[in-house]
Amino acid sequence: MNNLKNIGIGLLLMTGVFFASCSEDFLDEEQTNAYSTAYFDTPEGLQALTVSLYGNIRWHFGFEWSYGNTLYGTDEFTNANDLTNEMWNTYDNRFGPVGASTATGAANGNATNPNALWDEMYYGIASCNTIIAKAETVISDLKIRNRCLAHAYFLRGYNYYRLVAQYGGVVLQTKPIEGVVRNYERATEEKCWEQVISDFRNAYTLFEGEVFTYGKGITWTKATAAHFLAKALLFRSSERNDAWNNAYKDTDLKEAIDACSYAITARGPLTPNYSDLYANWTGIDCPNEQLNEILMAAGHNADAATVGRFGNRTYSYFAPQFSSFSGGWVRRGVWIGSMDFQRCRPTEYTYGIFDHVNDARMWKTFRTVYGANTVVTASAGVKVGDPGIVMILNTKNDNTYNGAKFGASVQAPTWTDVNGRLPEWNTGARQTATAGTLAVKKGQFVPNSSVLYQNGVYVAPTFKNQPICNFFAGINKTECGSRTAERGDSHRDVIMARLAETYLVRAECYVRLGQYGNAMQDINTVRVRAQWKAGENRSYYNDGSQAFKVNPLNTGTSATAFAASNLDMNTYYLSNPTLAVTTAASDLRLTSFPNNLPPEDEAVMVKVGASTDKERAINFILNESTRELLGEWQRWETLSRTGMLIKRAKAFNAEAAPNITANKHELRPIPQSFIDGLLNDDGSNLSSAQKAAWQNPGY
């Protein structure tokens, strides 16, 4: 019996596949390798293999690589004091084809290897190739055959998209391989994008509209294919490919606009409340995981039998190290929706690119208050349920806190209410059915407090240097109160594509065609959703921690810790100290584009030297993508695509700036383990020169 198995050398053994028993819902899959290849010569076998393709995308969120190759080394995030994947952010001499290890200076053995993405994407491609090769002869039912082919073309296109976005030209293998093959050719980027676009076009043609064949909210549809077809066309026509893409640009951009328009028409409008996308996650398979705006998600649930190799570990990477501040007033546990692994620390640019007053996304995304769930020093006067960590996100021109003391120390109060202003707590921020005001008095000790600016200087990184600050306001898009162990898997889906991005993709296509009015209209659609609505309480905050309300562990001391830790408040008014309390609507709509932009955007234009209308427009869309899509697993490829990675990393990421190099770091290194395994057609080993020819420039 010729059993199939996954072997970790990527292309060199491409017969490896994942597959599962046929099911109406891929989350009910039963992982097994008991079948032989003969199983795929049956309609049931190919349908099972099709369902299993959904499992391949879970890999992206199963470990440290989730942020390492997507968010680090960009303008949005830098590393905090945890240095697991530091080299992916700093581009230092540990970042290369071999990968970092403790022997080569990595902080620990969890550092992401460049071959991680390479290997996993080719595993999925191998499964897709099997389906595409066999479907016509094995499946007689045309509807079922097309459904299987649509999924296979889509995942193959998606996996090659990820490979080409990261590595440039790669090996194109579109047919099943029998046995071990070790002589491959590397295709050009042009040829690779041709393949990606062809696969997405095939998927777009074959999908049955918005038919949820494997469960609404987790199934790829025609709109999903349209979204990624548009992204691929835009990538081919963007700056990274300017050496050869001139013949494609206009037709690609027009086709991308048409594809976006299909997705927007088929799945629109946007979800009215930004919080419903991430913050209002109330538990496993909750309704907000089924929103029409979500085009693609990696699905998860609580069934341990279906986790497979990769669960969802993304809740670990965005929170500051809250449990270590000031001796531990806020202890971690399942009642707080994140682990405090302090991997992704927002940059000054990330905080500053928001309109702090009018953009609701900022206050629905950043967690700025943690309640004290432990009394460390009774003499401090802090009770369980009082604010234990307060992070003030003020602006550069704010002088309110110039003389105040901030930091984390139990020896002496680090900040008291020197200005007599605690509006969150004195005016009833917790406007819920059962909660009233918190009894916090003027002068009360807050054990841990920080501010972004004093005297016009960005001082946030100076708190808790060890040597890099672990004290910051993190984002909440992965918070999960459904965990059943402190370090257990999250059970919430991970959104991989949604309509707001589709609008921004279409806007960028319009910009590249010189249609600035159409671009502004799409941008304003996204920004209108981001406005405060009339009646909204700007001090109210929540996130996926609230799922703990229905967690079986929510009893006894755990219930007390949950209520004490999650105070449903933010620091909106502390961060905007001259603003009167209001529930009025705000307005973020642009009235001019790409000139006369908001001041936070104009500051970026100066910093990156964007002067032409096209440069200003594209950089504005990059800024808007930060505000809308912060932390959503794609920033590195977006900056690489637009030719802005080097410039914006140097401008906004202090840790990346010294080492990031043009004509090198726009691409990842080809894994050395793959190159070393290659042979010539005659079976001889590659020479040093041949190996060097395989590698990307500079590595």
Side-chain angles (χ1 to χ4, degrees):
M1 180 177 289
N2 182 17
N3 287 332
L4 304 181
K5 56 185 176 181
N6 289 312
I7 301 175
I9 314 178
L11 273 169
L12 300 184
L13 291 160
M14 271 188 60
T15 53
V17 296
F18 270 126
F19 58 95
S21 58
C22 190
S23 169
E24 288 300 311
D25 187 333
F26 89 95
L27 295 174
D28 296 328
E29 66 187 345
E30 179 182 350
Q31 295 283 354
T32 177
N33 65 354
Y35 297 110
S36 72
T37 53
Y39 184 53
F40 300 138
D41 290 321
T42 69
E44 295 77 17
L46 277 193
Q47 289 179 71
L49 188 57
T50 299
V51 173
S52 78
L53 299 181
Y54 285 96
N56 186 241
I57 63 174
R58 283 177 166 176
W59 173 87
H60 296 282
F61 310 107
F63 204 53
E64 306 278 349
W65 49 68
S66 62
Y67 66 89
N69 59 25
T70 61
L71 304 178
Y72 261 10
T74 69
D75 51 0
E76 292 181 348
F77 289 102
T78 187
N79 58 276
N81 193 54
D82 181 274
L83 305 180
T84 297
N85 266 331
E86 180 188 23
M87 66 292 300
W88 286 79
N89 183 56
T90 61
Y91 300 97
D92 61 34
N93 58 13
R94 296 168 297 170
F95 184 71
V98 176
S101 65
T102 52
T104 61
N108 55 59
N110 294 330
T112 297
N113 193 295
N115 68 8
L117 181 75
W118 181 278
D119 287 352
E120 196 65 26
M121 294 303 91
Y122 279 114
Y123 294 149
I125 288 166
S127 297
C128 296
N129 287 342
T130 297
I131 295 167
I132 293 168
K134 291 179 177 288
E136 186 171 355
T137 57
V138 171
I139 303 176
S140 59
D141 186 306
L142 182 61
K143 185 174 183 179
I144 294 175
R145 181 200 306 162
N146 285 347
R147 185 174 295 173
C148 292
L149 285 170
H151 282 78
Y153 279 121
F154 175 76
L155 183 68
R156 191 171 73 178
Y158 177 80
N159 283 8
Y160 272 126
Y161 178 97
R162 291 299 310 275
L163 287 169
V164 184
Q166 292 272 327
Y167 302 102
V170 296
V171 174
L172 289 178
Q173 182 62 45
T174 58
K175 296 180 180 179
I177 294 175
E178 295 295 332
V180 177
V181 179
R182 296 176 64 176
N183 55 333
Y184 288 99
E185 293 184 2
R186 185 180 180 186
T188 64
E189 279 199 78
E190 182 175 7
K191 191 69 175 178
C192 288
W193 284 117
E194 181 182 326
Q195 182 63 51
V196 171
I197 290 166
S198 173
D199 281 346
F200 283 144
R201 282 173 177 159
N202 284 332
Y204 179 71
T205 300
L206 290 166
F207 273 123
E208 309 157 53
E210 304 314 292
V211 177
F212 297 94
T213 52
Y214 295 113
K216 183 174 172 63
I218 57 170
T219 302
W220 310 327
T221 69
K222 192 178 187 73
T224 315
H227 175 87
F228 282 98
L229 171 59
K231 287 188 67 172
L233 290 161
L234 178 58
F235 207 127
R236 184 164 69 175
S237 62
S238 294
E239 284 75 5
R240 201 176 88 179
N241 298 321
D242 273 352
W244 53 264
N245 66 6
N246 191 58
Y248 299 100
K249 287 186 178 181
D250 282 358
T251 55
D252 278 0
L253 293 170
K254 291 172 183 176
E255 183 181 356
I257 288 170
D258 289 342
C260 288
S261 298
Y262 170 80
I264 288 167
T265 300
R267 298 291 288 274
L270 297 181
T271 299
N273 184 358
Y274 190 79
S275 288
D276 286 342
L277 291 164
Y278 297 102
N280 292 335
W281 189 77
T282 56
I284 301 165
D285 297 332
C286 68
N288 283 358
E289 290 190 342
Q290 316 301 324
L291 297 170
N292 279 346
E293 181 171 341
I294 301 171
L295 300 174
M296 183 179 179
H300 295 271
N301 66 16
D303 186 351
T306 66
V307 171
R309 293 195 302 167
F310 301 108
N312 177 0
R313 307 310 299 267
T314 59
Y315 67 89
S316 300
Y317 303 132
F318 294 104
Q321 200 175 22
F322 55 79
S323 66
S324 75
F325 300 163
S326 191
W329 291 87
V330 182
R331 62 189 174 98
R332 68 188 184 192
V334 290
W335 50 81
I336 296 180
S338 58
M339 289 294 290
D340 55 348
F341 286 179
Q342 48 151 348
R343 301 295 200 264
C344 297
R345 176 167 60 95
T347 63
E348 180 183 8
Y349 154 82
T350 297
Y351 295 126
I353 202 59
F354 287 89
D355 180 329
H356 288 218
V357 173
N358 297 307
D359 197 328
R361 291 172 297 194
M362 181 173 196
W363 303 102
K364 294 176 179 181
T365 297
F366 289 100
R367 181 168 184 170
T368 56
V369 176
Y370 291 81
N373 54 38
T374 303
V375 174
V376 176
T377 304
S379 61
V382 180
K383 303 184 297 297
V384 169
D386 284 348
I389 300 172
V390 174
M391 300 177 181
I392 297 173
L393 308 183
N394 64 336
T395 56
K396 190 171 185 175
N397 59 1
D398 172 44
N399 295 307
T400 304
Y401 303 106
N402 288 353
K405 293 176 66 178
F406 292 91
S409 170
V410 294
Q411 281 71 43
T414 57
W415 175 59
T416 57
D417 182 18
V418 294
N419 300 287
R421 186 173 182 78
L422 286 172
E424 276 81 8
W425 307 315
N426 292 338
T427 60
R430 301 181 73 189
Q431 294 178 9
T432 65
T434 58
T437 62
L438 289 177
V440 176
K441 301 176 182 179
K442 180 179 179 179
Q444 175 153 349
F445 171 48
V446 177
N448 312 273
S449 54
S450 71
V451 68
L452 293 182
Y453 292 94
Q454 288 182 307
N455 299 303
V457 176
Y458 184 61
V459 295
T462 66
F463 304 127
K464 293 289 285 184
N465 277 357
Q466 47 175 358
I468 301 170
C469 186
N470 63 352
F471 193 1
F472 54 87
I475 68 172
N476 65 13
K477 292 181 177 181
T478 60
E479 302 274 320
C480 177
S482 74
R483 290 174 291 131
T484 54
E486 188 175 277
R487 300 193 184 203
D489 286 330
S490 169
H491 305 120
R492 66 182 296 177
D493 296 350
V494 184
I495 297 174
M496 301 176 73
R498 55 187 179 86
L499 275 183
E501 184 193 5
T502 315
Y503 274 102
L504 294 178
V505 168
R506 191 169 70 173
E508 186 178 339
C509 292
Y510 281 135
V511 163
R512 292 177 181 277
L513 291 173
Q515 300 177 28
Y516 293 106
N518 286 337
M520 187 173 75
Q521 184 174 339
D522 277 349
I523 292 166
N524 277 341
T525 299
V526 174
R527 287 175 68 85
V528 164
R529 195 259 300 275
Q531 299 168 172
W532 292 109
K533 308 304 186 292
E536 278 194 282
N537 177 6
R538 301 187 185 190
S539 286
Y540 178 75
Y541 169 88
N542 67 332
D543 60 40
S545 300
Q546 67 187 297
F548 195 70
K549 294 174 183 177
V550 295
N551 191 318
L553 299 180
N554 185 16
T555 60
T557 57
S558 288
T560 301
F562 167 70
S565 305
N566 299 282
L567 302 183
D568 297 339
M569 62 171 63
N570 61 37
T571 60
Y572 178 85
Y573 289 106
L574 289 174
S575 303
N576 297 294
T578 63
L579 186 68
V581 175
T582 180
T583 57
S586 64
D587 190 352
L588 286 177
R589 290 173 295 178
L590 299 178
T591 58
S592 175
F593 183 74
N595 298 304
N596 301 314
L597 298 172
E600 57 270 14
D601 292 286
E602 290 291 357
V604 169
M605 301 304 156
V606 173
K607 191 82 171 178
V608 300
S611 57
T612 69
D613 283 354
K614 180 183 175 183
E615 290 171 343
R616 288 172 57 82
I618 289 177
N619 275 279
F620 178 87
I621 291 171
L622 290 174
N623 297 346
E624 193 64 32
S625 294
T626 295
R627 292 182 282 253
E628 179 67 28
L629 305 171
L630 180 63
E632 295 186 30
W633 321 110
Q634 56 181 293
R635 187 63 171 185
W636 186 91
E637 72 178 38
T638 300
L639 295 184
S640 176
R641 172 180 65 78
T642 55
M644 291 301 299
L645 175 65
I646 308 300
K647 186 172 289 187
R648 290 179 74 112
K650 281 186 175 293
F652 303 122
N653 187 329
E655 285 68 39
N659 296 320
I660 192 169
T661 303
N663 302 315
K664 176 180 179 180
H665 289 128
E666 295 94 338
L667 297 175
R668 305 303 197 184
I670 302 296
Q672 195 64 41
S673 57
F674 172 74
I675 295 176
D676 288 343
L678 292 168
L679 297 176
N680 291 310
D681 290 343
D682 61 4
S684 61
N685 293 321
L686 267 60
S687 67
S688 296
Q690 286 175 310
K691 289 183 178 182
W694 264 90
Q695 190 52 263
N696 279 326
Y699 292 103

